[in-house]
Amino acid sequence: MRLSLGCEVGYDVLETATLIFNIEAMRGGRQQVLNEQLVISPNVTADEKTAHESGNRYLRLTAPPGYLHVRYTAEIELDPLHRAPAFIGEVPVATLPLETLPFLNPSRYCPSDQLARFAVREFGNIAPGFGRVVEICNWINAEVDYQFGTSDSATTAAGTFSTRAGVCRDFAHLGITFCRALGIPARFVSCYAWQLEPQDFHAVFEAYLGDRWYLFDPTRMATLDGMVRIACGRDAADTAFATIFGAVNPQNVYVWANALDQNTSAEWTTDAVSTQD
């Protein structure tokens, strides 16, 4: 699948401020960046760096007082890997790759230790494997209302579990929390998502099963085949599209993702989907 995507973000900078953006599509794996363009107005100097371990691409700039506008556009080729879920099992902690171990621990927004008793009681008797993570997503989708204004930047998975309402990042945090409580490495993923309505930066999660990371979206709001990964981390604290140091008022945020292929299917897949090699 080939996608045209991008975003525009605007800020009213009240005094000189430093902003760190994470809006550029990841490179590598089964996600190829064919071309991209970044336009910053005013034309200030920006530092760009790709984190070695995560692949997250960071853009840091210092903006003078006034209006700041950042526009990113890209054309992406996706070649997601599909596998039959029945043959994908969980990996014992004793044999997990060492790089996955940090994603077993509680983190700022994913207090898996606080929800461990519920996770074990609700999902502990389900056969280990891909299907158990699907059941976690099914529970979240059925029990948590997708509702704007019910959470904020301080809401953790424990808060979402209590209120039973939230948005995509809250759904992802809850899925990650339950997985970690069961000994399944899980990490937060921010992405551009084809056919998401309304269009915005989307949040899903990946669980490490078998020999790779697989995508899961408890919201069921976008097809897994049309998700372009921007960043991954322990939770949303590691993947914010903008981190601001200084006096700044956010203005407009506009996000889009459009298919360029003529006969692209939008059907939800029940396959295991990965964008990793």
Side-chain angles (χ1 to χ4, degrees), residues 206-228:
E206 290 177 321
Y208 191 87
L209 301 161
D211 62 350
R212 65 184 59 238
W213 294 98
Y214 289 95
L215 283 166
F216 294 89
D217 181 7
T219 72
R220 305 286 199 266
M221 293 175 66
T223 174
L224 296 174
D225 282 350
M227 294 185 184
V228 175

Side-chain angles (χ1 to χ4, degrees), residues 98-181:
L98 290 177
E99 62 269 22
T100 69
L101 298 185
F103 301 103
L104 286 172
N105 300 327
S107 60
R108 176 180 175 183
Y109 291 110
C110 301
S112 50
D113 50 343
Q114 296 179 25
L115 297 182
R117 289 177 58 192
F118 175 83
V120 172
R121 185 169 64 248
E122 185 73 22
F123 309 111
N125 292 326
I126 299 173
F130 187 92
R132 178 150 69 162
V133 183
V134 171
E135 287 303 317
I136 289 172
C137 293
N138 289 344
W139 185 94
I140 296 170
N141 188 267
E143 298 295 332
V144 182
D145 295 329
Y146 193 96
Q147 191 172 347
F148 292 103
T150 55
S151 63
D152 56 30
S153 60
T155 302
T156 69
T160 302
F161 180 77
S162 177
T163 61
R164 300 295 171 93
V167 292
C168 59
R169 65 173 255 157
D170 305 304
F171 279 51
H173 283 154
L174 197 52
I176 292 167
T177 300
F178 288 153
C179 284
R180 291 178 184 172

Side-chain angles (χ1 to χ4, degrees), residues 22-195:
N22 194 183
I23 57 176
E24 297 171 283
M26 280 185 172
R27 293 180 176 272
R30 307 180 75 86
Q31 176 175 301
Q32 183 181 1
V33 179
L34 302 178
N35 58 72
E36 61 184 352
Q37 184 178 35
L38 182 70
V39 179
I40 304 170
S41 180
N43 186 18
V44 297
T45 301
D47 301 321
E48 294 192 66
K49 176 70 175 180
T50 299
H52 175 70
E53 291 186 358
S54 65
N56 298 352
R57 301 170 64 193
Y58 297 102
L59 172 74
R60 181 179 61 187
L61 58 87
T62 298
Y67 186 71
L68 172 68
H69 181 260
V70 178
R71 176 182 171 88
Y72 171 73
T73 58
E75 188 173 320
I76 308 293
E77 182 76 37
L78 287 176
D79 181 26
L81 174 70
H82 286 246
R83 283 186 173 170
F87 299 100
I88 301 171
E90 295 175 21
V91 183
V93 174
T95 57
L96 280 168
L98 290 177
E99 62 269 22
T100 69
L101 298 185
F103 301 103
L104 286 172
N105 300 327
S107 60
R108 176 180 175 183
Y109 291 110
C110 301
S112 50
D113 50 343
Q114 296 179 25
L115 297 182
R117 289 177 58 192
F118 175 83
V120 172
R121 185 169 64 248
E122 185 73 22
F123 309 111
N125 292 326
I126 299 173
F130 187 92
R132 178 150 69 162
V133 183
V134 171
E135 287 303 317
I136 289 172
C137 293
N138 289 344
W139 185 94
I140 296 170
N141 188 267
E143 298 295 332
V144 182
D145 295 329
Y146 193 96
Q147 191 172 347
F148 292 103
T150 55
S151 63
D152 56 30
S153 60
T155 302
T156 69
T160 302
F161 180 77
S162 177
T163 61
R164 300 295 171 93
V167 292
C168 59
R169 65 173 255 157
D170 305 304
F171 279 51
H173 283 154
L174 197 52
I176 292 167
T177 300
F178 288 153
C179 284
R180 291 178 184 172
L182 296 168
I184 306 169
R187 65 188 185 186
F188 189 93
V189 177
S190 62
C191 60
Y192 294 98
W194 174 57
Q195 294 211 331

Side-chain angles (χ1 to χ4, degrees), residues 221-274:
M221 293 175 66
T223 174
L224 296 174
D225 282 350
M227 294 185 184
V228 175
R229 299 162 77 251
I230 301 172
C232 65
R234 293 165 299 174
D235 53 35
D238 292 339
T239 61
F241 76 86
T243 304
I244 301 168
F245 298 88
V248 172
N249 287 332
Q251 299 297 317
N252 59 296
V253 177
Y254 177 49
V255 179
W256 65 91
N258 301 307
L260 297 177
D261 303 285
Q262 290 287 335
N263 300 312
T264 301
S265 171
E267 293 182 2
W268 179 264
T269 179
T270 56
D271 292 346
V273 177
S274 174

Side-chain angles (χ1 to χ4, degrees), residues 3-32:
L3 297 172
S4 172
L5 56 82
C7 68
E8 293 186 26
V9 293
Y11 298 91
D12 185 13
V13 181
L14 305 181
E15 56 186 52
T16 301
T18 297
L19 298 91
I20 302 172
F21 293 101
N22 194 183
I23 57 176
E24 297 171 283
M26 280 185 172
R27 293 180 176 272
R30 307 180 75 86
Q31 176 175 301
Q32 183 181 1

